[in-house]
Amino acid sequence: MNENNISSAEGTKENNKSKKENRFYTLKLLAVTVIAFIAALLFRRSMGIVAMIPISLVICGLTALIDIGYITRTAIVGITVFMLNSIENKNMEIAIVYSALCILTTLLASYSVYKIKASKKIGIPIASASGLLCIVLSLNFIGNPFSAMAAQDIITPYTDENYPVNENAALGVFEFSAIYYDYTLDAYCVDAKSNKYPTEPSPISVNGDVLYDSFYYLMESKISRVYESDLSAVLRENLPDARFEVSFDGFVSLPGEAILSAESGALYNNVRYDIFISGIQTGEAMKKAVEEMVNVIDASGIGYAQLTFKSGIGLWTRRCVTVTPYHPTGRYTPKMTFVPVLNTNEFSEYLRYTLLEN
C-alpha cells in the first residue's frame, strides 16, 4: 500500500512537471511568433528605407536564443514574413525573396548559437561570417538605405514639381509609395498612382543620377484622349467626307507648369497633334486639304499648340505641313515640306534586308 502511494505521488509529480514544461514550451512558441511578427512588420517593401536597415534580420536572429528547435522557429519566421509580404504584393517573387532572406538568417543564427555553445573560438567567427553574408544579401536584394535616401532626394523634388496636389485635377489626386529597391532594374523606385486609376500604378525610378518616370507617360496617354477625341469630332462634323486620322503627339508646357495636375479641359492650348490625311495624290491637294482643316479648327476655337499634317505613301518620305496657332484666323497659307519615314536604324535594317534578298 505504501509502495502504491509512493508510485502515485511520483506519477503526479511527473505529470505536473510535464504540464509545466508544456506551458513553458507554449510560451516559447508565443515569444517566437511575436518576434517573427515584429520582424515581418518591419521587413516589408512598403516600409521603405526601414526595410533596408538590417534590424529585421537581427530580430530574426534573436529567435535562435529561444530553444524550441531550429525547424520550428525557422518555419514560424518564414511563414509569418511570407504572409505579411504576400498580402500587400501581387508579385509573389517579392514575398519569396523577403521570406527566403529571413529563413536563411534564422537558420544561420541557429547554427551559430549551436557552434558558440560548443566552442566560442569556432562559433564566433561563424556567427560573424553569417551576419556579414546576410547583410550583403540584403544590400543586393532589399537595398542600401543610404543609396535609397539619395534617390529619395532626387524623386521628392521631382514629384512635388510635376504632381502637385489639385483636388479638381482631371486625373485626380496622385499618391506615392515608400521608396524600394528593384533588384531586377538595379534602381530605387517609387510607385505612383492616381485615385481615379487606383489599379494602374507605375514606377518612378532612379538609377544613379538618372530619373525615369513611366507613370508620366501612362497618365499623359489617359489625359490626352479627350483632347484627341474633341479635335477629331470637330473635323468630322465639319468635313464629313474627309479621310484622316488624329493622334496625340505630346504636350507643350512652360517651366513650372504641371500638366498632369491640370483641371479638365484646361490643356487645349498645350496639345500637339499629328493628323494623317488619306487619299491625297499631289502636293497642291495636300495644301488645299490642310488649309480647309486649319480654317475649320480655327473657327471652332478649340485651341492647340501645334498641328502636324502628313500625307502620302512614299517609301522614304511623307508630305508634311506644320501649323502653329500664330496666324490670322481664316487666312492660313500652308508651307509643305517632306519628312523621312524611316529612322536611321530602320533604314539600315531595310538596306540589309534588301541586299540579303537580292
Side-chain angles (χ1 to χ4, degrees):
M1 195 68 175
N2 290 335
E3 290 180 358
N4 290 334
N5 289 336
I6 292 171
S7 298
S8 177
E10 289 178 351
T12 302
K13 186 177 180 180
E14 287 296 325
N15 287 335
N16 290 335
K17 183 180 179 181
S18 178
K19 290 180 180 179
K20 185 177 181 180
E21 288 177 349
N22 288 337
R23 285 197 297 268
F24 192 47
Y25 184 79
T26 301
L27 290 174
K28 289 180 184 179
L29 283 175
L30 180 60
V32 170
T33 302
V34 171
I35 292 173
F37 186 74
I38 293 172
L41 279 177
L42 297 175
F43 204 54
R44 293 173 295 141
R45 176 174 274 192
S46 62
M47 291 300 292
I49 294 174
V50 173
M52 301 176 198
I53 301 172
I55 184 65
S56 300
L57 302 183
V58 173
I59 294 173
C60 290
L62 289 176
T63 60
L65 301 176
I66 303 175
D67 185 19
I68 61 170
Y70 73 94
I71 294 178
T72 303
R73 78 168 68 93
T74 302
I76 292 173
V77 168
I79 292 171
T80 306
V81 174
F82 180 81
M83 286 180 61
L84 265 66
N85 276 277
S86 61
I87 288 172
E88 66 177 34
N89 286 294
K90 294 180 180 179
N91 186 353
M92 287 296 102
E93 182 181 341
I94 297 170
I96 290 171
V97 168
Y98 276 65
S99 56
L101 188 53
C102 286
I103 288 171
L104 178 63
T105 302
T106 306
L107 286 173
L108 290 175
S110 300
Y111 183 69
S112 298
V113 169
Y114 168 75
K115 297 302 288 186
I116 288 172
K117 288 180 179 179
S119 172
K120 289 185 178 180
K121 289 183 178 180
I122 298 176
I124 291 177
I126 290 175
S128 300
S130 298
L132 181 60
L133 174 62
C134 292
I135 290 173
V136 170
L137 289 174
S138 178
L139 292 174
N140 279 275
F141 288 96
I142 310 303
N144 184 323
F146 299 105
S147 298
M149 286 187 282
Q152 187 74 71
D153 289 340
I154 296 174
I155 293 174
T156 299
Y158 173 82
T159 55
D160 287 346
E161 179 180 353
N162 290 278
Y163 302 97
V165 176
N166 180 3
E167 294 181 357
N168 297 318
L171 292 173
V173 177
F174 301 109
E175 301 171 2
F176 304 93
S177 72
I179 194 166
Y180 64 89
Y181 179 64
D182 188 334
Y183 60 87
T184 62
L185 301 175
D186 189 23
Y188 290 87
C189 308
V190 166
D191 284 334
K193 67 179 180 180
S194 162
N195 64 353
K196 290 197 175 181
Y197 302 96
T199 61
E200 298 183 65
S202 193
I204 301 171
S205 61
V206 170
N207 189 330
D209 295 328
V210 180
L211 183 146
Y212 178 73
D213 185 358
S214 62
F215 181 67
Y216 185 93
Y217 299 106
L218 174 65
M219 292 295 102
E220 188 182 58
S221 69
K222 292 187 179 297
I223 198 173
S224 66
R225 289 172 187 169
V226 63
Y227 300 103
E228 186 179 291
S229 175
D230 286 353
L231 183 67
S232 182
V234 166
L235 290 174
R236 294 198 184 283
E237 181 180 351
N238 291 276
L239 303 170
D241 296 328
R243 294 162 57 192
F244 62 88
E245 181 180 346
V246 177
S247 60
F248 170 74
D249 187 43
F251 286 111
V252 175
S253 61
L254 297 173
E257 187 177 8
I259 290 293
L260 298 185
S261 291
E263 298 180 13
S264 180
L267 298 174
Y268 283 103
N269 294 329
N270 298 79
V271 189
R272 298 195 311 263
Y273 299 94
D274 269 348
I275 304 174
F276 187 83
I277 308 174
S278 303
I280 300 296
Q281 301 298 323
T282 65
E284 287 303 316
M286 167 76 168
K287 290 181 180 180
K288 182 177 179 181
V290 169
E291 184 176 2
E292 190 174 26
M293 287 187 172
V294 171
N295 289 337
V296 165
I297 293 171
D298 288 344
S300 72
I302 194 171
Y304 55 89
Q306 180 177 290
L307 305 172
T308 301
F309 295 89
K310 297 177 184 178
S311 72
I313 56 174
L315 181 61
W316 306 114
T317 60
R318 294 280 190 273
R319 303 183 193 92
C320 177
V321 176
T322 300
V323 182
T324 64
Y326 310 111
H327 59 264
T329 301
R331 289 186 294 162
Y332 176 73
T333 303
K335 294 182 180 180
M336 192 175 66
T337 59
F338 291 87
V339 294
V341 174
L342 304 178
N343 61 35
T344 304
N345 291 333
E346 290 173 327
F347 180 71
S348 300
E349 286 297 313
Y350 174 80
L351 288 181
R352 186 176 66 84
Y353 174 78
T354 304
L355 292 173
L356 287 175
E357 285 295 305
N358 296 329

